[in-house]
Amino acid sequence: MFRTFESLKLSVLGAAACILLASCAQQPAAPGASAKPAAAPPPAGASAAAPAAATAAPAADAVDPEVLKALDRMSAYLRTLKTFQLDTYSLTDDALDNGQLAQLGRTARLKVRRPDGLQVDMNNDRGDRNVLYYNGKTASIYSPRTKYYATVQAPPTLKEVVGVLNDKYDIDVPAADMFSWDSGKMDTSSIKSATYLGVSAVDGNLTDQFAIRQDDVDWQIWIQRGNTPLPRKLVIVTTSDPARPQHTVVMRWKTVASFPASDFDFKAPAGSTRIAIQKSDGTVENPGK
């Protein structure tokens, strides 16, 4: 009898990079503000029209085009990163049966080599650790605590593999949408409002803070100022849930990195056991299938 791989499903930071895509409408975001600080400077790289917009309260459901430009500029910059490391720390609310929110903290380290190398090392407050390996041919998930692992055949690119893992196996890869940004300019049709809030320091970095609203979600994003517009912080709120659970993630980037091929090639440690993996439709995929 094969064991299923339910205990190793990855649910850390699935929304962390959804911020640039219309598909993010399914993810939460931060509450929108009613006004901007009067003295707040415009987003880095914004046009001269931004300061005037920053001094008055935005109209209901107003979409500031400078905010969309800032998001698109961030997206374009991230597509230039070929090999990088991303460390994240997140806090995620979960509603208990009595309606009270309970918070769980998680960390993740992503090592990325485009187009076909990925390692994600995830830990949570409960002491659970899971590591995902992808080398362009196979994807493997390993639990060091239980010494169980599962391996599946995988498509040749990061963009494809994160889709397969999510759709076929219910596995959410942290910051998965980073690998979809190659499609170019984002679709902004689902954005109901977008507001520039001002300059804010995050983890020692000066950033521009934005608030965006979509159906069922509010979110805020902090984008580093200057020539490296990296997302530094993200707050997502599910407005369709009366409890309004919130997901917050802080990101630390290493944009120049070099990794050996062994970081992406999984080799089963001595004493480990290969097990079956449960698919999204409830069926079980046996090892080697």
Side-chain angles (χ1 to χ4, degrees):
M1 173 88 53
F2 292 115
R3 296 174 183 266
T4 61
F5 209 74
E6 293 174 309
S7 62
L8 298 187
K9 288 186 178 178
L10 314 181
S11 58
V12 184
L13 289 185
C18 289
I19 47 186
L20 298 181
L21 305 174
S23 60
C24 287
Q26 307 263 331
Q27 303 292 347
S34 59
K36 305 172 189 174
S47 72
T55 60
D61 296 329
V63 176
D64 184 344
E66 296 300 332
V67 175
L68 303 186
K69 289 180 183 179
L71 294 176
D72 194 55
R73 181 170 172 264
M74 178 185 70
S75 175
Y77 175 74
L78 290 172
R79 289 197 299 273
T80 70
L81 304 180
K82 303 304 180 184
T83 306
F84 61 90
Q85 179 175 299
L86 172 60
D87 291 293
T88 64
Y89 176 66
S90 67
L91 293 171
T92 303
D93 291 335
D94 188 24
L96 304 178
D97 290 342
N98 65 359
Q100 181 177 355
L101 293 178
Q103 195 173 76
L104 181 67
R106 300 182 176 93
T107 62
R109 168 166 289 182
L110 289 81
K111 297 180 180 180
V112 180
R113 181 196 65 199
R114 294 178 186 270
D116 59 1
L118 176 66
Q119 183 195 108
V120 189
D121 193 336
M122 295 155 286
N123 299 265
N124 67 26
D125 290 346
R126 305 282 187 260
D128 298 322
R129 181 186 175 207
N130 298 305
V131 188
L132 170 68
Y133 300 84
Y134 167 69
N135 61 6
K137 298 178 180 178
T138 61
S140 301
I141 311 171
Y142 175 62
S143 168
R145 180 175 60 83
T146 64
K147 294 189 176 180
Y148 292 147
Y149 72 94
T151 297
V152 298
Q153 296 300 307
T157 67
L158 289 163
K159 179 179 178 180
E160 293 172 297
V161 76
V162 296
V164 168
L165 291 175
N166 181 267
D167 298 339
K168 189 174 181 180
Y169 300 105
D170 242 1
I171 296 173
D172 295 322
V173 178
D177 285 305
M178 274 193 296
F179 312 117
S180 297
W181 292 337
D182 292 333
S183 58
K185 190 176 179 66
M186 64 177 180
D187 179 4
T188 59
S189 60
S190 65
I191 294 179
K192 307 301 182 183
S193 68
T195 305
Y196 176 57
L197 301 182
V199 178
S200 179
V202 176
D203 203 19
N205 301 285
L206 280 182
T207 68
D208 291 305
Q209 181 181 359
F210 305 93
I212 295 91
R213 171 161 287 177
Q214 295 174 251
D215 288 337
D216 301 328
V217 291
D218 287 345
W219 50 280
Q220 293 176 72
I221 185 171
W222 288 252
I223 301 175
Q224 184 168 313
R225 294 172 65 83
N227 295 325
T228 54
L230 295 163
R232 288 291 181 176
K233 183 179 177 181
L234 177 69
V235 175
I236 303 170
V237 177
T238 304
T239 57
S240 58
D241 187 330
R244 294 178 64 89
Q246 179 170 294
H247 172 79
T248 301
V249 56
V250 175
M251 292 162 270
R252 292 183 175 179
W253 296 82
K254 185 177 180 181
T255 57
V256 179
S258 178
F259 309 114
S262 57
D263 280 356
F264 311 113
D265 294 326
F266 175 71
K267 293 185 178 180
S272 60
T273 303
R274 185 173 180 178
I275 61 175
I277 184 168
Q278 180 171 297
K279 297 193 290 186
S280 301
D281 61 8
T283 61
V284 174
E285 184 170 298
N286 292 338
K289 299 295 184 181

